[in-house]
Amino acid sequence: MSEVSVQQANDRETMLIHTPFHSRSSALNKLNSWENWKGFMVAHEYDDYELEYFAIRSQTGVMDLTPMTKYRITGPDAEAYLNRLVTRDVTKIKVGRVGYTVWCNSDGQVMDDGTIFHLAEDEYRLCSYTHCIDWLMWSAEGFDVEIVDETKQVAALAVQGPTSCSCLMAMGLEGIENLKPFGLTTFPFEGGELMVSRTGFTGDLGYELWVEPALAEALWDQLFAAGKQYLIRPFGLYALDMARKEAGFIQAAVDFVPAEDQVRVGRTRSPFEIGLGWLVDFNKPFFNGRKALLKEKENGSRYRFVMLDIEGNKPANNSFILNKKGKVIGTVTSAGWCPSAKANVAFGQVDAKYGEIGEELITEIYYERELHWTKVLAKSVVVKGPMYDPPRRRATPPAPF
């Protein structure tokens, strides 16, 4: 069997969708390490996840973002509909801006978090982790809006790191250095349009590039040609996970259970319980979950989200969190060593009466080396996020490299 035939056979066996960048990303994936992201085949690791992580922090890292679920919402009631759907005030997200938000069910439990792109008058794009078209359509009853799942119709790249702006400037995107955080703009590209937003999931200077699939390979080629002098390199989901923990970003289905996915009652969380209470705006009109969230604000929450600085360097994955008397008060949802911050960080859910900034807790860690398991009761301090927050993340224009 020829090499091409073998590849085609392997592709059929995966039953995963190739993104428009697959011809380029597969050529660079030396480990042939892939992951299923909502039905798409994306790189988990290209050659060395640690080097990929450091590309994000000291060079430019590029990740295929195409599988991110994307919905186009248009119509005269688009703003009113979104304002009814999500917890923050959508009227404050002006044209050419992006807003981070969450949306809840009627019990005030988080369905998902995501970003709202205000593309034009009465035109938005909602990006999320979960596939939520049914919920969006049910919530649209009575509103004059059209909702289209455009996930497969939009190819996207995350371009992150201190030299990311320099790469885009070298690519010929004039004025990109003036784009402010959470801003978006467009450029003509190969007979079509390239949209660029100053957004990302790494906590560093970074951008996301959005283009029609037919132009994806040209975008990849031009970006990597322009970024060669800046040591541009692709990164996978493993490196992204390291960066987002360091930046204090939570992830759906990891740090909280989306309300539609829960199997057992009581496993979901409200925005207040995952550290996103600042996204709940009670000054705007009625929105999904408002009554339940008002009641929770008055009576108190069940849980509190904490970020822990843990003694030592053993990651606290899936660990119990204890108070000083040794009683279990919560669990770790995400954990890892943060190379740039030089800290052993963990996100956790604890009983609401614990978790004040500066409070000392204990994390029960188990780790295995050479078939031998060791238990560590590590001193842990509740810290005010994020562990890594460089000034260049907000600088406009960013410093040249």
Side-chain angles (χ1 to χ4, degrees):
M1 186 180 290
S2 70
E3 183 178 338
V4 173
S5 298
V6 170
Q7 180 63 49
Q8 290 174 339
N10 289 339
D11 292 346
R12 284 195 297 271
E13 289 172 5
T14 64
M15 295 192 298
L16 296 177
I17 303 169
H18 286 175
T19 78
F21 300 106
H22 185 76
S23 63
R24 302 308 192 259
S25 60
S26 60
L28 296 174
N29 197 329
K30 298 177 182 178
L31 298 177
N32 198 27
S33 176
W34 302 95
E35 192 162 323
N36 178 358
W37 181 2
K38 294 297 181 181
F40 285 87
M41 187 174 179
V42 294
H44 181 251
E45 182 181 5
Y46 282 88
D47 51 12
D48 187 316
Y49 71 88
E50 292 181 333
L51 293 179
E52 293 167 30
Y53 160 83
F54 280 109
I56 298 170
R57 292 292 183 241
S58 60
Q59 302 152 217
T60 294
V62 178
M63 178 183 159
D64 188 348
L65 197 63
T66 303
M68 175 68 70
T69 306
K70 301 174 281 286
Y71 298 101
R72 181 71 65 110
I73 300 168
T74 57
D77 290 343
E79 181 185 275
Y81 162 71
L82 284 169
N83 225 18
R84 167 71 167 73
L85 180 77
V86 305
T87 60
R88 72 175 295 169
D89 190 348
V90 176
T91 65
K92 296 179 180 179
I93 306 174
K94 304 304 180 183
V95 174
R97 299 291 296 168
V98 183
Y100 175 55
T101 190
V102 296
W103 48 101
C104 301
N105 62 14
S106 58
D107 295 324
Q109 302 299 287
V110 176
M111 302 285 290
D112 200 359
D113 65 335
T115 46
I116 295 175
F117 291 66
H118 196 167
L119 305 175
E121 193 70 27
D122 299 330
E123 185 174 356
Y124 296 84
R125 174 182 293 154
L126 176 65
C127 294
S128 66
Y129 168 79
T130 60
H131 290 295
C132 54
I133 188 65
D134 290 342
W135 179 259
L136 296 180
M137 298 299 277
W138 294 333
S139 300
E141 186 174 355
F143 291 96
D144 186 3
V145 294
E146 181 180 10
I147 304 169
V148 177
D149 184 345
E150 58 177 12
T151 302
K152 296 179 182 178
Q153 283 69 55
V154 181
L157 291 175
V159 184
Q160 306 284 303
T163 64
S164 56
C165 184
S166 297
C167 287
L168 296 180
M169 291 173 64
M171 190 178 149
L173 303 187
E174 290 189 24
I176 190 64
E177 68 277 10
N178 297 319
L179 187 65
K180 296 180 179 180
F182 290 96
L184 60 90
T185 188
T186 58
F187 299 89
F189 183 77
E190 296 294 317
E193 183 177 87
L194 169 65
M195 188 177 80
V196 181
S197 56
R198 190 167 167 183
T199 49
F201 200 50
T202 66
D204 215 311
L205 173 64
Y207 304 82
E208 292 173 338
L209 280 52
W210 313 80
V211 73
E212 61 182 279
L215 303 178
E217 292 178 346
L219 174 61
W220 182 286
D221 292 343
Q222 291 187 33
L223 175 63
F224 274 76
K228 185 176 181 180
Q229 62 180 318
Y230 300 105
L231 304 179
I232 193 171
R233 67 182 298 157
F235 69 91
L237 293 173
Y238 198 164
L240 177 69
D241 194 52
M242 292 176 66
R244 68 97 183 170
K245 292 171 186 173
E246 199 169 50
F249 295 151
I250 64 173
Q251 183 175 332
V254 177
D255 298 302
F256 68 92
V257 178
E260 270 197 320
D261 296 344
Q262 75 164 331
V263 176
R264 287 176 285 184
V265 176
R267 304 293 175 158
T268 58
R269 299 291 184 264
S270 74
F272 299 113
E273 294 172 335
I274 56 175
L276 298 179
W278 60 276
L279 288 173
V280 180
D281 189 343
F282 290 118
N283 294 318
K284 73 169 190 171
F286 182 79
F287 58 88
N288 287 355
R290 187 178 193 275
K291 183 177 180 180
L293 291 172
L294 269 174
K295 184 177 180 180
E296 179 182 345
K297 187 177 181 182
E298 293 171 0
N299 299 333
S301 302
R302 302 166 299 166
Y303 304 99
R304 185 189 301 218
F305 171 83
V306 293
M307 180 178 287
L308 299 173
D309 185 356
I310 300 176
E311 187 176 54
N313 62 0
K314 300 299 184 292
N317 296 301
N318 305 312
S319 297
F320 284 117
I321 301 172
L322 318 176
N323 63 14
K324 288 187 175 182
K325 295 181 180 180
K327 178 185 176 182
V328 175
I329 60 167
T331 55
V332 169
T333 58
S334 290
W337 175 257
C338 297
S340 295
K342 300 295 187 293
N344 190 15
V345 67
F347 301 163
Q349 294 277 320
V350 299
D351 294 342
K353 64 181 179 180
Y354 298 96
E356 292 290 341
I357 302 299
E359 183 176 3
E360 292 186 7
L361 301 172
I362 300 168
T363 305
E364 184 179 273
I365 302 173
Y366 293 84
Y367 67 94
E368 180 266 336
R369 294 290 184 274
E370 298 179 343
L371 303 181
H372 179 77
W373 282 91
T374 300
K375 174 182 176 180
V376 175
L377 296 177
K379 175 184 174 182
S380 307
V381 179
V382 180
V383 296
K384 184 178 180 180
M387 291 297 212
Y388 185 77
D389 187 22
R392 62 174 176 252
R393 177 182 173 189
R394 291 169 293 278
T396 307
F401 280 83

